[in-house]
């Protein structure tokens, strides 16, 4: 409490010049005094908060919080997760589906052919019922211009939101020797950006290949419903219906695609794991949240839900598709299923994940127009492990970002990661593992990925 006492001494000092102005100055710093109190009680690394200086109390809440974060957290990576959220933003969140958007994520790249100095945006996926889907934009499309301006590192923000506009599309064509060049395709008119709901269940289907039924699910957000509140149930009920349908078809294998899932509610992660885990694990520990040593209780256990037994698939093996944007609650599902399936039976295919093994909780005070989200706990599996601060390494490393060839729609059996995973399930080998498309053939560099605008969602405890 030394810092808070120091601030109170500062206020008392202001009364020593004949005129009591302590109330005036308290009004200027009361929000930061409240932040400090919450952080000193609940912050996971409360005992490593840096020394607060007198002038720090007059910073904005956002800047004051940054001064309190522990730079040595996460094996020296620092605390990148604790944040201030304005209350007028809380209802729509910071993420793609709840802000004004054209409705697609993309990767900004220098020319992958290496033949021009141009910049291109390659679409990664398009949300249904969005301005982008209405304009017939598709995953894998290359955008070269916005209105009359070519795409650059200065104007790519206009691909995210704005008024009615046009996007110019080009495609890559290959000659007999495999050399690529650009061909103008068309210019499409896109309506003005707007809030677009992201139903997290982007694809759920079953393929029959070589006599095997293979279930596939693209799950893009651990969210409870369109309003993303802890009390929402709409998406959790939808997940239950989806798994009831999966179970009715008795799949032989399950592929869970989390490559574009940055996290969310731990309650949703527990539901998902409860549908996938061996039935013998239901009622056992899914995860333990470990708080700082001045919190009571210091540990809380979350159990795999036996009430979901009717929809449980009783899997002994799971295939998970990942990218460097797979984070937080997505990583918790992988980590927390391993003790029950065995590490070798949670087969991770794709890229090393983000590396976020901590959880946050919201704190708010009616006096202030913001919500404080500090890191409050580690999320451990039933073996007491959460050793993926540098990401979960894939069992098989495959990356679509090295591809110069087309990106097929998610769910298309020809799509790169899905095709290789289905081949592995049915034949025991992956066609592109030993002879992947050479990174040398992708001469461009990734300059920006719009997934970074969504942030890696903290594991939300409530």
């Amino acid at each position: 409490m030394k810092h808070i006492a120091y601030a109170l001494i500062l206020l008392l000092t202001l009364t020593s010049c004949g005129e009591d102005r302590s109330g005036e100055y308290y009004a200027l710093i009361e929000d930061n005094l409240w932040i400090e109190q919450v952080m000193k009680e609940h912050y996971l690394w409360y005992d490593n908060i840096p020394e607060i200086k007198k002038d720090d109390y007059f910073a904005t809440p956002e800047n004051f919080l940054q001064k309190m974060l522990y730079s040595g957290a996460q094996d020296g990576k620092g605390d990148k997760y604790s944040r201030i959220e304005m209350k007028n933003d809380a209802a729509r969140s910071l993420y793609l589906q709840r802000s004004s958007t054209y409705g697609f994520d993309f990767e900004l790249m220098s020319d992958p052919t290496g033949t021009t100095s141009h910049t291109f945006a390659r679409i990664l996926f398009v949300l249904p019922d969005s301005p982008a889907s209405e304009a017939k934009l598709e995953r894998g499309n290359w955008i070269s211009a916005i209105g009359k301006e070519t795409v650059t590192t200065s104007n790519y923000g206009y691909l995210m939101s704005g008024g009615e506009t046009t996007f110019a599309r080009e495609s890559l064509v290959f000659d007999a020797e495999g050399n690529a060049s650009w061909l103008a395709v068309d210019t499409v008119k896109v309506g003005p950006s707007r809030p677009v709901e992201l139903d997290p269940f982007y694809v759920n289907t079953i393929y029959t290949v070589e006599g095997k039924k293979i279930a596939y699910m693209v799950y893009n957000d651990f969210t409870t419903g369109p309003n993303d509140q802890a009390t929402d149930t709409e998406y959790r009920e939808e997940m239950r219906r989806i798994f009831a349908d999966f179970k009715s078809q008795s799949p032989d294998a399950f592929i869970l695609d989390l490559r574009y899932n940055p996290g969310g509610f731990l309650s949703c992660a527990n539901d998902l794991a409860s549908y996938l885990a061996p039935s013998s694990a239901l009622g056992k520990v899914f995860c333990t949240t470990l708080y700082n040593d001045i919190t009571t209780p210091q540990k809380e256990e979350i159990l795999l839900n036996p009430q979901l037994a009717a929809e449980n698939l009783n899997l002994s093996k799971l295939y998970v598709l990942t990218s460097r944007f797979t984070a937080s609650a997505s990583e918790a599902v992988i980590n927390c299923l391993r003790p029950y399936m065995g590490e070798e039976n949670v087969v991770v295919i794709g890229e090393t994940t983000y590396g976020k093994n901590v959880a946050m909780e919201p704190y708010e005070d009616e006096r202030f127009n913001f919500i404080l989200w500090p890191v409050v706990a580690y999320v451990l599996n039933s073996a007491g492990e959460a050793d993926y601060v540098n990401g979960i390494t894939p069992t098989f490393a495959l990356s679509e970002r090295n591809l110069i060839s087309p990106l097929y729609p998610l769910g298309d059996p020809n799509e790169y990661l899905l095709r290789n995973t289905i081949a592995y399930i049915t034949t025991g080998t992956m066609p592109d593992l030993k002879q992947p498309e050479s990174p040398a053939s992708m001469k461009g560099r990734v300059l920006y990925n719009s997934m970074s605008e969504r942030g890696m969602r903290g594991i939300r405890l409530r």
Side-chain angles (χ1 to χ4, degrees):
M1 303 298 287
K2 179 175 67 175
H3 296 152
I4 297 175
Y6 179 84
L8 293 175
I9 291 172
L10 170 65
L11 292 176
L12 291 173
T13 301
L14 296 171
T15 68
S16 64
C17 299
E19 180 182 356
D20 183 0
R21 302 181 64 190
S22 58
E24 176 184 341
Y25 280 90
Y26 181 80
L28 293 176
I29 67 172
E30 63 176 341
D31 48 3
N32 289 338
L33 289 175
W34 176 80
I35 290 172
E36 183 178 36
Q37 181 180 357
V38 172
M39 293 288 284
K40 294 293 287 184
E41 293 176 4
H42 301 288
Y43 188 46
L44 181 58
W45 304 291
Y46 76 97
D47 50 348
N48 285 291
I49 292 175
E51 186 70 27
I52 301 299
K53 300 176 182 178
K54 177 175 67 174
D55 291 343
D56 292 339
Y57 290 98
F58 296 95
T60 64
E62 294 86 349
N63 289 338
F64 183 74
L65 176 63
Q66 290 303 309
K67 296 175 186 296
M68 299 200 72
L69 302 184
Y70 175 39
S71 62
Q74 301 291 83
D75 287 353
K77 292 167 63 177
D79 177 5
K80 300 182 291 184
Y81 312 119
S82 297
R83 71 178 196 271
I84 296 288
E85 180 181 45
M86 304 310 293
K87 287 182 178 177
N88 60 351
D89 288 335
R92 64 175 180 83
S93 186
L94 297 176
Y95 310 114
L96 178 65
Q97 70 273 24
R98 283 176 274 280
S99 57
S100 182
T101 176
Y102 289 122
F104 66 95
D105 266 321
F106 63 91
E107 209 155 45
L108 191 72
M109 303 181 65
S110 57
D111 185 351
T113 70
T115 60
T116 75
S117 60
H118 297 165
T119 302
F120 295 84
R122 179 161 62 170
I123 294 177
L124 298 177
F125 71 88
V126 178
L127 295 177
D129 303 317
S130 66
S133 67
E134 291 160 3
K136 308 300 183 185
L137 291 173
E138 297 178 337
R139 171 176 156 86
N141 284 173
W142 293 93
I143 299 175
S144 60
I146 308 164
K148 295 182 179 180
E149 297 184 10
T150 58
V151 173
T152 70
T153 55
S154 299
N155 67 8
Y156 65 82
Y158 293 109
L159 293 168
M160 300 179 193
S161 63
E164 183 177 279
T165 189
T166 59
F167 297 147
R169 292 189 290 191
E170 297 190 25
S171 66
L172 285 166
V173 293
F174 301 86
D175 62 22
E177 286 73 39
N179 297 311
S181 59
W182 291 103
L183 177 68
V185 176
D186 59 14
T187 298
V188 296
K189 181 182 292 186
V190 183
S193 63
R194 62 177 187 260
V196 178
E197 179 183 346
L198 169 59
D199 185 322
F201 310 102
Y202 195 76
V203 178
N204 52 88
T205 190
I206 288 185
Y207 310 95
T208 301
V209 184
E210 301 293 332
K212 290 182 179 290
K213 287 185 178 181
I214 302 172
Y216 175 66
M217 178 176 175
V218 179
Y219 185 53
N220 278 341
D221 199 358
F222 287 90
T223 180
T224 56
N227 295 317
D228 200 38
Q229 299 298 311
T231 54
D232 290 347
T233 61
E234 181 177 333
Y235 290 158
R236 296 179 73 178
E237 292 169 358
E238 184 177 356
M239 189 191 295
R240 191 166 191 167
R241 290 191 295 270
I242 288 170
F243 275 91
D245 183 60
F246 277 141
K247 185 162 186 176
S248 71
Q249 300 184 63
S250 302
D252 299 296
F254 197 99
I255 303 171
L256 176 63
D257 195 335
L258 297 176
R259 72 183 96 170
Y260 300 135
N261 192 321
F265 278 98
L266 197 57
S267 58
C268 298
N270 185 43
D271 284 357
L272 179 60
S274 298
Y275 295 124
L276 299 170
S279 58
S280 59
L282 296 180
K284 296 181 180 179
V285 173
F286 167 61
C287 70
T288 298
T289 51
L290 178 64
Y291 299 87
N292 66 36
D293 59 8
I294 58 173
T295 296
T296 304
Q298 190 179 7
K299 294 182 179 181
E300 292 187 0
E301 293 182 343
I302 297 175
L303 307 182
L304 290 164
N305 190 352
Q307 295 182 9
L308 304 181
E311 295 80 24
N312 170 263
L313 297 184
N314 191 29
L315 298 179
S316 59
K317 196 165 191 173
L318 175 67
Y319 303 87
V320 187
L321 307 188
T322 63
S323 77
R324 62 190 180 98
F325 297 104
T326 303
S328 189
S330 291
E331 294 169 302
V333 168
I334 297 170
N335 185 53
C336 294
L337 283 175
R338 281 176 165 173
Y340 299 110
M341 292 184 176
E343 184 168 349
E344 70 283 359
N345 288 326
V346 181
V347 182
V348 179
I349 300 165
E351 296 177 311
T352 298
T353 63
Y354 187 78
K356 186 175 186 305
N357 61 353
V358 291
M360 291 121 74
E361 283 191 350
Y363 294 87
E364 57 184 306
D365 187 296
E366 62 182 10
R367 295 173 294 170
F368 312 125
N369 67 342
F370 61 85
I371 301 170
L372 173 63
W373 286 88
V375 170
V376 298
Y378 290 108
V379 179
L380 312 175
N381 64 18
S382 61
E385 300 166 336
D387 54 353
Y388 52 91
V389 67
N390 294 310
I392 296 172
T393 303
T395 314
F396 300 104
L398 291 173
S399 176
E400 66 182 24
R401 71 186 58 254
N402 289 335
L403 298 178
I404 195 170
S405 54
L407 297 181
Y408 288 96
L410 296 178
D412 187 315
N414 293 306
E415 192 275 319
Y416 184 61
L417 263 64
L418 180 58
R419 173 170 56 86
N420 278 274
T421 306
I422 290 175
Y424 181 70
I425 292 169
T426 55
T427 69
T429 60
M430 291 186 178
D432 294 321
L433 186 62
K434 291 187 177 180
Q435 292 183 323
E437 192 162 3
S438 171
S441 67
M442 174 65 84
K443 298 182 176 65
R445 293 181 300 111
V446 176
L447 306 173
Y448 171 81
N449 190 303
S450 65
M451 285 288 294
S452 62
E453 288 296 312
R454 293 209 254 167
M456 297 301 102
R457 298 193 66 180
I459 296 177
R460 297 182 62 173
L461 298 180
R462 59 183 177 89

